[in-house]
Amino acid sequence: MRVMKWSMIALAVSASTSQFAMASSQEESKGFIEDQSLTVLTRALYMNRDFKNEPNTRQSYREESGVAARAIYESGFTQGTVGVGVDGFAFGTVRLDGGSGRAGNGLFASDSDGNLEDTQSKVGGAVKFRLSDTVLKYGNQFTTSPVFSTDDSRLLPEVATGTLLTSKEIKGLELTAGRFNAISSQTGMGDDGLGLKSADIVGATYQFTDNFVGGVAASDVEDHYKKKYLNLNYTLPINEDQSLNFDFNGYDSQDQGQKLSGDVDNRIWSLAAAYAIGAHKFTLAHQRSTGDTGYVYGVDGGGTIFLANSIQYSDFNGQDERSWQARYDLNMKTYGVPGLSFMTRYVTGDNISTADGEAKEHEWDFETKYVMQSGPAKDLSFRVRSAFYRTNTSYTTASGNRDNNDFRVIVEYPLSIL
């Protein structure tokens, strides 16, 4: 592994931990076999996007569906001063529907003739070492860092390849540092489907109190850009049934080197306030972007961004954009239907700078989810998501965003085998 670029060591990653679970301390290790686990997640996804008012020269309708299975094995750590373990995974997908004329939603890769693949598969793994409360992992991993996150919004997640160090030696403080040199896309089963040279990340989160947590993050993606991130989250308990939560997220991105992601000069932040009372939660959020460009995703985990107004279709992150969100959540457990929930939100954005003048956009989302609470199908979930997105011509020209009705049905069944 090459030496990391430690110029951003004062900044840190707030959530750059693997999705593989890890016991909290080497002293608690029961053994390589004794602490092992094997889980299988089956996901079925139907997705269509209907682009309104499209000229005949552009594809106006996309529709795909498929089923994916992901098996993840996690060993425990061997006993002793330094514990050793391994993680592994096997992924597979089967296409149910979606011809070449309706492709484009990102569920499947295309073959050399431009037709969607009928099946896809991928296997991988990592080796891990633990000393006290510090874990070093090398190999294929899933990351959730706000500056380097593997996207999981389709049938299968992206997979990053590299080294990640996670330390929890001080109570309430988590430190992370890593270097990744490849990341596969959600449809590309190769090791570097997104064209990553290298990405260095560092970070920390600290639990100041039971109700207040803060995190900072930074990444250095070679020949693309550098990013810095800040999160502050505070919950004010009012009484047993009521609480008020404030969540601030902010990014600063600048291009570097060969500028393979183009010009990047952006600062973007969001502040959300959520009031929860019984089964209901009401959220208001404001988001603002400044700089010479909008936010650029690039190759550091596809399309992930940790902002309040990053929603189903749009992320409201155009150049100079200002956006507002109103959201309502309902948990039906209070009304005698545990596992059933509803959500709706509306986001509107304006002041977007484009070559053709100021642009605007807005989106209205609806979501319903039900999770089985007992029986042989316990934890089986059904989720319906819909989004109605509209923008004006100047923003379509600048960003490629188009008027769109986005509809998805997601069924998931997690199963713990070991």
Side-chain angles (χ1 to χ4, degrees), residues 132-276:
S132 185
D133 285 332
T134 299
V135 174
L136 176 67
K137 181 179 289 189
Y138 173 76
N140 303 127
Q141 307 181 49
F142 315 117
T143 62
T144 55
S145 163
V147 293
F148 191 87
S149 180
T150 47
D151 196 347
D152 190 17
S153 59
R154 298 294 188 268
L155 283 170
L156 293 176
E158 296 170 341
V159 180
T161 301
T163 303
L164 181 66
L165 181 71
T166 304
S167 179
K168 301 179 182 178
E169 301 292 341
I170 300 174
K171 183 178 180 180
L173 176 65
E174 178 175 321
L175 301 172
T176 57
R179 181 180 180 87
F180 295 90
N181 51 29
I183 184 169
S184 68
S185 68
Q186 295 180 87
T187 58
M189 297 294 100
D191 287 336
D192 194 20
L194 297 180
L196 178 70
K197 288 186 174 181
S198 69
D200 298 332
I201 60 176
V202 291
T205 56
Y206 186 67
Q207 188 82 40
F208 294 95
T209 68
D210 290 342
N211 301 318
F212 179 45
V213 62
V216 287
S219 66
D220 185 338
V221 181
E222 183 180 356
D223 281 332
H224 286 268
Y225 42 70
K226 296 182 179 180
K227 292 183 180 181
K228 304 170 186 176
Y229 169 83
L230 171 67
N231 171 250
L232 298 171
N233 187 286
Y234 175 69
T235 299
L236 174 65
I238 299 174
N239 57 37
E240 197 172 282
D241 272 346
Q242 299 181 64
S243 66
L244 187 61
N245 175 264
F246 298 94
D247 187 42
F248 175 85
N249 292 273
Y251 286 88
D252 183 343
S253 306
Q254 301 291 327
D255 55 47
Q256 65 157 328
Q258 298 181 32
K259 299 184 181 182
L260 297 181
S261 292
D263 293 332
V264 180
D265 175 38
N266 178 258
R267 284 151 297 286
I268 189 169
W269 59 267
S270 68
L271 177 63
Y275 172 61

Side-chain angles (χ1 to χ4, degrees), residues 307-326:
L307 292 170
N309 291 350
S310 173
I311 57 174
Q312 181 168 326
Y313 181 71
S314 179
D315 292 329
F316 294 85
N317 54 8
Q319 183 180 348
D320 298 321
E321 183 167 8
R322 303 172 304 197
S323 59
W324 290 90
Q325 176 183 169

